[in-house]
Amino acid sequence: DATYRSKVDAVYAALRAWAPELLVTAGFHVLPPQAVRIPRVAALNFHPSKLPLYRGGLPFQAQILRGETQLECCVHVMTDIIDDAQDVLARGVELSLEGKTTQQLFEELGQRFPELILEAVEAIQRNTRKVEPSIPLGDLPHSFGVKAETWIDETGEKKRSNAGVLSRVRIEWEEDSAVDIERACRAFTVQGFKGLFTDYEATPRRVTHCALLPKLQAAAPAPVAPVAPGTVLWAAGGRCAVATKDGAAVLLTLEDVEDVEIVVGGKFESMTLVSTWLQKPFTDRVKGGKRFE
């Protein structure tokens, strides 16, 4: 709106008045070209991925969802292209992704990213910058929350479908393996975000923790009949074991379930739209459409 626009313009005016040599961002919104061109030397961005891999706003979540085991960060010169990899000044700060949530990664990097920024500034001072040729992005894994695609549904109608990271915020019991669900829970566990969710008795429930359980067949003393994905196998308060599509199970911890009794044999479902849960448009994936993986 006009009030927000005027505040943004005031910030840019103040930056131009300061005439900075450098502008540094980390985990910030995409800056428009007018802001990128304000500093006299360069506008730098700290990005937690090995660019050009995982360009976009949710790199932690994207890498956890895809099962990456190591996270490498970089500092690059900002251009009109989002997370442009042509002018990367410094790479490093490798972190293990094993078993970690996005929140934990934020906290670890918060203590370590200054060293990479300093390395990038030194590269500018030594004039050792080397601009690489443009890299075709093609099908490289991205980390955009919304990546719209046109999808034709079963009725033949064209619809907008999200193949971005945020489409994975809802557990899809007919598609997600136990590992998929555990990774999604870690990926979307971060302060200020609503987190992974699923529906029970037609009401969305936030998943605050997820642990993998043994394969049902392997854990049973006798053959076990197939169990429908989403079926509750055990429950106690806000904790429950739920069958997954790959014959395994996950132990979920749910938030705010005082209004419902989760019972053995009950069923979790995938009903509430992601856009409704997040209050964010264009985040829904059409059934059958390409998903982020």
Side-chain angles (χ1 to χ4, degrees), residues 65-142:
L65 286 171
R66 286 179 58 90
E68 301 286 3
T69 58
Q70 290 286 325
L71 179 145
E72 179 182 306
C73 303
C74 68
V75 176
H76 66 99
V77 176
M78 286 189 282
T79 68
D80 293 355
I81 300 172
I82 296 175
D83 297 327
D84 192 353
Q86 291 188 65
D87 198 354
V88 175
L89 299 173
R91 295 186 186 273
V93 191
E94 293 188 5
L95 298 176
S96 170
L97 292 171
E98 297 285 355
K100 293 179 182 175
T101 66
T102 293
Q103 183 63 40
Q104 289 171 322
L105 293 169
F106 266 128
E107 292 168 0
E108 287 188 41
L109 278 181
Q111 301 172 12
R112 299 183 59 185
F113 86 86
E115 64 193 66
L116 211 59
I117 294 292
L118 290 175
E119 184 178 331
V121 172
E122 289 171 358
I124 294 174
Q125 291 175 328
R126 295 194 303 267
N127 197 27
T128 56
R129 294 171 58 181
K130 182 181 179 182
V131 178
E132 301 290 339
S134 179
I135 301 171
L137 299 175
D139 292 326
L140 289 177
H142 66 86

Side-chain angles (χ1 to χ4, degrees), residues 199-220:
D199 290 278
Y200 191 82
E201 294 191 352
T203 301
R205 310 287 175 176
R206 182 180 178 225
V207 179
T208 59
H209 187 265
C210 175
L212 298 174
L213 294 175
K215 291 272 187 178
L216 301 183
Q217 293 285 356

Side-chain angles (χ1 to χ4, degrees), residues 25-282:
T25 67
F28 197 69
H29 296 287
V30 176
L31 291 179
Q34 67 198 69
V36 169
R37 298 186 182 113
I38 288 175
R40 286 176 285 145
V41 177
L44 307 181
N45 179 54
F46 176 87
H47 189 78
S49 81
K50 190 176 182 178
L51 289 176
L53 303 178
Y54 300 108
R55 298 170 56 245
L58 300 173
F60 294 114
Q61 291 90 335
Q63 291 173 82
I64 292 173
L65 286 171
R66 286 179 58 90
E68 301 286 3
T69 58
Q70 290 286 325
L71 179 145
E72 179 182 306
C73 303
C74 68
V75 176
H76 66 99
V77 176
M78 286 189 282
T79 68
D80 293 355
I81 300 172
I82 296 175
D83 297 327
D84 192 353
Q86 291 188 65
D87 198 354
V88 175
L89 299 173
R91 295 186 186 273
V93 191
E94 293 188 5
L95 298 176
S96 170
L97 292 171
E98 297 285 355
K100 293 179 182 175
T101 66
T102 293
Q103 183 63 40
Q104 289 171 322
L105 293 169
F106 266 128
E107 292 168 0
E108 287 188 41
L109 278 181
Q111 301 172 12
R112 299 183 59 185
F113 86 86
E115 64 193 66
L116 211 59
I117 294 292
L118 290 175
E119 184 178 331
V121 172
E122 289 171 358
I124 294 174
Q125 291 175 328
R126 295 194 303 267
N127 197 27
T128 56
R129 294 171 58 181
K130 182 181 179 182
V131 178
E132 301 290 339
S134 179
I135 301 171
L137 299 175
D139 292 326
L140 289 177
H142 66 86
S143 64
F144 295 104
V146 175
K147 191 172 189 295
E149 296 190 350
T150 300
W151 185 259
I152 301 176
D153 67 12
E154 57 270 16
T155 68
E157 183 182 355
K158 285 186 178 181
K159 293 185 177 179
R160 177 186 175 118
S161 183
N162 180 26
V165 174
L166 291 178
S167 64
R168 294 287 300 278
V169 170
R170 183 179 74 180
I171 297 176
E172 301 292 344
W173 292 104
E174 298 298 329
E175 299 178 66
D176 289 339
S177 67
V179 169
D180 289 334
I181 296 169
E182 189 274 337
R183 287 175 179 169
C185 185
R186 288 191 289 114
F188 297 116
T189 297
V190 59
Q191 187 175 348
F193 190 78
K194 290 197 72 173
L196 183 71
F197 79 98
T198 184
D199 290 278
Y200 191 82
E201 294 191 352
T203 301
R205 310 287 175 176
R206 182 180 178 225
V207 179
T208 59
H209 187 265
C210 175
L212 298 174
L213 294 175
K215 291 272 187 178
L216 301 183
Q217 293 285 356
V224 176
V227 180
T231 301
V232 178
L233 305 173
W234 170 87
R239 302 179 72 221
C240 51
V242 188
T244 56
K245 71 150 194 174
D246 52 337
V250 287
L251 180 62
L252 303 182
T253 302
L254 305 173
E255 185 177 73
D256 297 332
V257 292
E258 295 82 3
D259 63 321
V260 67
E261 182 182 3
I262 299 174
V263 298
V264 173
K267 192 83 184 306
F268 283 97
E269 298 176 286
S270 309
M271 298 176 60
T272 300
L273 295 176
V274 171
S275 58
T276 300
W277 174 251
L278 296 179
Q279 293 295 292
K280 186 177 178 66
F282 311 124

